[in-house]
Amino acid sequence: VVSAYKTANEGIRETFKQVQEVPKKVECDIIYEGDVMQGIAKTDPTPEPFIVPEFIHEIEASAFNLGTEIETLIFKGSIRQVAANNCVSLPKLKTVIFEDDVEDIEANAFKGCAALSRVEFHKGLGALWDSCFANCTALEAVDLPDNCELIDKNCFSGCIRLKHIHLPEQVK
């Protein structure tokens, strides 16, 4: 029984070792697999602004954990999803620009980015989920595209400087 247990554990350790050795691609200071950004390749990447390349279409949770010095974040391609709790570790983030369509910005994605004062949507937007921009205390204005379909509860709660928000007629 002991040798069977030992053999099983060695098999698990070998499988885990193989999983750890799967190469991830690193380009433009990002770690990605396919079209999914998984993280930043180094702490405080340069140059400013930080540009998410056109081939990235999804941002995993906590992908920006190492980017504590990022002030401007530009998404070049169309984005299916900015995952929940993604940019909470970006205390210096001031500007976010989506140059193409965005399907979903999930719950708490930019929550608590106190320096965030400008968010631009250049094309389409599907949904803003619960508290995705909550407590962005420097945010003053947001112009949502006319095709925005959903703004969930508390999206802009705690945005004490928010003076202007363009809401499309069909938004729910």
Side-chain angles (χ1 to χ4, degrees), residues 10-167:
E10 288 171 359
I12 290 169
R13 276 195 292 273
E14 185 60 33
T15 302
F16 182 70
K17 182 179 172 189
Q18 290 170 353
V19 168
Q20 286 181 318
E21 293 172 357
V22 171
K24 306 270 187 207
K25 292 183 181 180
V26 177
E27 183 177 311
C28 310
D29 289 335
I30 66 168
I31 301 168
Y32 66 95
E33 191 167 342
D35 65 352
V36 179
M37 179 176 164
Q38 299 171 323
I40 294 177
K42 58 184 178 180
T43 303
D44 301 328
T46 54
E48 196 56 56
F50 188 86
I51 297 173
V52 177
E54 207 170 316
F55 64 88
I56 295 296
H57 299 291
E58 188 171 322
I59 315 297
E60 281 190 357
S62 305
F64 291 103
N65 274 356
L66 296 179
T68 58
E69 297 297 314
I70 294 175
E71 292 182 15
T72 301
L73 187 55
I74 300 173
F75 295 88
K76 287 291 198 182
S78 64
I79 302 293
R80 283 188 307 270
Q81 173 188 48
V82 177
N85 304 311
N86 211 312
C87 296
V88 294
S89 61
L90 302 180
K92 296 182 179 182
L93 184 64
K94 294 178 183 174
T95 304
V96 176
I97 300 170
F98 293 96
E99 291 188 350
D100 208 331
D101 293 327
V102 185
E103 286 182 32
D104 287 324
I105 298 180
E106 289 195 359
N108 306 317
F110 294 92
K111 183 177 183 178
C113 292
L116 185 60
S117 60
R118 189 172 115 208
V119 179
E120 294 181 16
F121 298 97
H122 289 198
K123 290 195 177 178
L125 172 63
L128 296 176
W129 293 100
D130 183 32
S131 303
C132 62
F133 289 103
N135 300 324
C136 294
T137 55
L139 192 58
E140 294 181 0
V142 177
D143 286 318
L144 299 175
D146 287 334
N147 64 346
C148 180
E149 298 170 7
L150 177 87
I151 298 177
D152 203 3
K153 64 183 185 231
N154 302 316
C155 277
F156 299 102
S157 67
C159 296
I160 58 176
R161 289 190 180 90
L162 189 59
K163 295 175 186 156
H164 168 79
I165 186 164
H166 167 74
L167 293 174

